[in-house]
Structures are given as structure tokens and as C-alpha cells.
Amino acid sequence: MTGGRVRIDGNTLRLPGGVAVRFVRTLRLPERGTHPLPPGLGEFPVRRVADHADRVPEPMRARGGVLLPVYLREAMWLSFAGTTEPAALQVGVGKVCAVSGEPWRDRLSRRPQNYVVLPRQPWLDGINSGTGTVRQFVAVPLGLGATVEGQVTGEEVWGGVQLRSFPLKERPLAEWRRRERERERQRARQPGPADLPTGYGTPTDYGPPVGQGTGGGYGTAPPMAAPPGGPASPGGPSAPGGPAIPGAPGSPPAWSPGSAPPPPAAPFGAAPPPAAAPPRRAAAMGLGAGGAMRQEVYRDDRPLGDWSEEPAGRVFVHLVTPPEWRRITGEAPPPSPVDRAAYTRAGLPWYDYYDADAEDLAPADALEAVEPVGAWLGDDLDPWQAPSAGQVTPLKDAPGTPVEDGEW
């Protein structure tokens, strides 16, 4: 365990050292071919396990952290927009490193690199399984062997997502801050808007920082849609006045980009489940591999010795099914994911991100061999329609109660 306190700010996890992580809903890609980056379609709601300790299973209570709801085969990506200072972030899927494919380690490593560098890495959509590509994070239940954890280790014990952040040591951080102050002075002397330094903070190329606006680019997820029966959800990545996105069967009414945000989702039913209800075994979920997309996982250009040897904070992110979310939290889960073909037919954007100044990590051998979830769950019945060239947009060239950590 670490002494750093993790907090929830809206649906953003804020780890010590200025690291901000959001879990973003997105379109699931076909498992054949390589595709542009899919858009964000709203944030997953995140809640503290400790706030529902009387209704979660014992393993979840023991590990602490947070929980969020996912549908079977729903895809997600991790957004790091809003991270303020350099940090090394380890990302585990069932305690398998999503970057190196090796078992979870307590320390940073460069051979192979087992972390991403923030804020240089603006997002992570999947496991590092190809040259210049990743395979999408897709939710699957434990017990089938379909998770990355199951395929790499041969067993499924942990599930979920694990995050651990490491700050720079005092001297490299002081030097970074000095250089940033100098850049700010130079920008202040130049007329007109100044370019952001490479790898620095507020990412204007892919949307405003966390908490600013509801539209924008790939890194900006619109607010979560209202539950069925409520108002339509607000705008997505396209500009105000764009076409509406037809929903999936059973989802709420179609939504139009640029519309007003809905009120917060009302709790499910008249009252939350009784506090005395005994916990039961939840249908634990993990992450498997989906379709491939063009995305680089950047190599760290700093000496490993610049990073602290001890993490500033860590958090275990539990993935639960929508029925379990409702039972545990008393809240309505998000609506079912948007239909992929309907999104593309509406003419809404996809994204292509390339950074000529950064070096991509080689794919991890263990992750290259991971099969997509369709090999375990059967054919993908969600129809697919490839975007036209004009739909692909090129990019670039802590309040709240602390989250309680546990034993994991």
C-alpha cells in the first residue's frame, strides 16, 4: 500500500502528483483490420468502494478503490487530459501490464518499459500489441479465459484495472518547473496564441481540459447520457448543430451534438437497496482485446533514475455489470452503447493521431499473442460501416473524499 490519497473529482480519478484519469465509453471496433481512433461517447461513472462497503463482495471490499459499470463487450479508453506535471503511470489489466505484457511489478522498468509517460501520452485505448497499434480494451467476464489476464497468465484472479503513479524526483521536477516558467515568459512576450511545448499539460489539439465544455475532439468525452425514460444525452465530438446519433435498441432517444446537458441521473427506484442487504458474489469483469487501431505507446526519453522509486498513489478499478452497479450503488447504469453503423452513417468524426517527435515502443511479445474476445465469445453481431476519408480528423503533427486502498 502507498500513503498517497486518490480522490474522485466528478468522474475523474486524481492520483497524487497531478495525474488525472478518466474512463471513456467508445465504439467497439471490428476485430479485423486496423482502424482510426474511435470517438469518446461519455464518461463511465466512478464510485468509491468504501461508500458501498455493506453491498460489495468481500474481495472487492478488501482491495478497496473504485467501481464502474460496463456492458459485456463494451469498449473503453483511458484519458489523461488534465494531468498537470510529468508522471509515470503503470496501467494493469488484471495485474498484467498493458504496456509490457509482463506481470504487475512494484517498480518502474525500462527493459521492457512498463509504464506510460504523462502528459506526453494523452490517452491509452488498449494493449500494446502491435507496431504503432494497440488492441482495444473490451469488457468480458472472468472465468472464460478471454481476458488479457487469462491469456497471458493462464488464470483469472484479479480482473479490473490497476493504476499506479510515480512522480519525478525533486531535482528533475524542479528543473522541469523552471523550464515551464521560462516557456510561459516566452509565450507572454509573443503576440497571439502560443503553441504548447511538446508533451505539456493542456492538450488543445484533442479537446479542453477536464471540466471545460462538452464538445471538442478525441480527448473530450461528452457527459453521460441520461437513463432510459429521461432526456436525450448531450453532444458528442462533432460541432454544435451536427446530425443526431441514433441509439442502439433499448437506448434513450437520439441525441444531437451541442444540445444542453441533462440533469444528473436519478437513483434507480424510490430508494437505494437496504443497508442490511447481505453482500453477494458479483459477476466480476476484466478487459480483453478488441480491434486494432493506429496508436503509439511512447518510449520514455528520460533516464529511469529521474523517476521516484516509490509510487505517489495507486488505485484498483473494479468493473461490474450494469445489474450489479444498480444493486450496489442504487443508481441507474448508463444506457447501452451506441450502435457503430448508426454513428458512422450520421457522418460523425473519427481521429488519426501521429506524433513525429516521439518514438513508439515495440509491441510486447506476450500481448501480440492475445486473441480478440470474438475468439472466445463468438461472432460480433454489431454491424460495422467503415468511415469515409472525410470523417477521419488528423490530430497534432482534487476535491472529494479520498479513495481507500486495499490489499492487492
Side-chain angles (χ1 to χ4, degrees), residues 18-98:
V19 172
V21 181
R22 291 179 298 148
F23 296 86
V24 183
R25 307 183 79 194
T26 189
L27 297 175
R28 187 174 76 255
L29 298 174
E31 293 173 0
R32 294 183 180 180
T34 302
H35 306 276
L37 302 175
L41 296 175
E43 301 167 359
F44 287 94
V46 178
R47 302 290 181 265
R48 296 193 329 139
V49 167
D51 290 338
H52 307 283
D54 56 341
R55 291 189 289 273
V56 299
E58 174 54 34
M60 185 183 296
R61 185 163 57 249
R63 293 167 187 169
V66 300
L67 68 155
L68 60 83
V70 289
Y71 287 84
L72 175 65
R73 277 185 163 178
E74 183 169 15
M76 70 166 60
W77 53 273
L78 277 60
S79 168
F80 309 127
T83 296
T84 56
E85 294 188 334
L89 181 70
Q90 291 179 314
V91 179
V93 287
K95 296 192 73 172
V96 171
C97 179

Side-chain angles (χ1 to χ4, degrees), residues 123-264:
W123 46 68
L124 186 66
D125 285 62
I127 59 173
N128 179 32
S129 59
T131 301
T133 64
V134 300
R135 276 202 172 272
Q136 194 172 37
F137 292 132
V138 176
V140 288
L142 302 188
L144 301 178
T147 62
V148 175
E149 175 186 4
Q151 295 188 56
V152 172
T153 70
E155 56 183 3
E156 294 179 321
V157 176
W158 299 99
V161 177
Q162 298 76 40
L163 303 173
R164 182 190 278 125
S165 64
F166 292 76
L168 287 173
K169 291 179 178 177
E170 184 175 344
R171 182 172 296 177
L173 181 58
E175 174 62 18
W176 180 86
R177 288 170 174 169
R178 184 194 65 77
R179 292 198 303 267
E180 290 307 306
R181 288 194 295 268
E182 178 61 27
R183 289 190 182 103
E184 289 295 335
R185 285 194 290 270
Q186 292 176 358
R187 283 195 291 269
R189 291 194 293 269
Q190 296 173 356
D195 292 331
L196 288 170
T198 301
Y200 175 66
T202 311
T204 56
D205 282 343
Y206 50 90
V210 175
Q212 295 186 13
T214 59
Y218 177 71
T220 309
M224 188 64 66
S233 75
S238 67
I245 297 180
S251 63
W255 51 270
S256 298
S259 60

Side-chain angles (χ1 to χ4, degrees), residues 182-392:
E182 178 61 27
R183 289 190 182 103
E184 289 295 335
R185 285 194 290 270
Q186 292 176 358
R187 283 195 291 269
R189 291 194 293 269
Q190 296 173 356
D195 292 331
L196 288 170
T198 301
Y200 175 66
T202 311
T204 56
D205 282 343
Y206 50 90
V210 175
Q212 295 186 13
T214 59
Y218 177 71
T220 309
M224 188 64 66
S233 75
S238 67
I245 297 180
S251 63
W255 51 270
S256 298
S259 60
F268 178 76
R280 68 183 184 189
R281 183 175 179 83
M285 303 282 282
L287 291 179
M293 71 189 78
R294 291 183 291 275
Q295 184 176 99
E296 297 171 313
V297 180
Y298 296 139
R299 184 181 300 278
D300 188 8
D301 57 6
R302 292 180 177 276
L304 185 62
D306 281 5
W307 299 108
S308 172
E309 296 179 357
E310 296 296 326
R314 68 173 196 168
V315 62
F316 197 112
V317 182
H318 303 269
L319 310 180
V320 300
T321 64
E324 282 297 300
W325 171 266
R326 178 180 291 156
R327 184 189 66 81
I328 292 171
T329 67
E331 300 178 34
S336 58
V338 170
D339 177 85
R340 298 182 306 194
Y343 182 95
T344 302
R345 285 196 304 269
L348 296 171
W350 294 71
Y351 300 90
D352 196 7
Y353 186 88
Y354 176 69
D355 188 343
D357 296 326
E359 184 178 358
D360 181 41
L361 284 177
D365 292 341
L367 299 180
E368 278 188 295
V370 172
E371 294 182 333
V373 298
W376 304 79
L377 302 182
D379 292 338
D380 187 348
L381 301 180
D382 192 0
W384 169 250
Q385 180 175 334
S388 65
Q391 286 179 262
V392 180

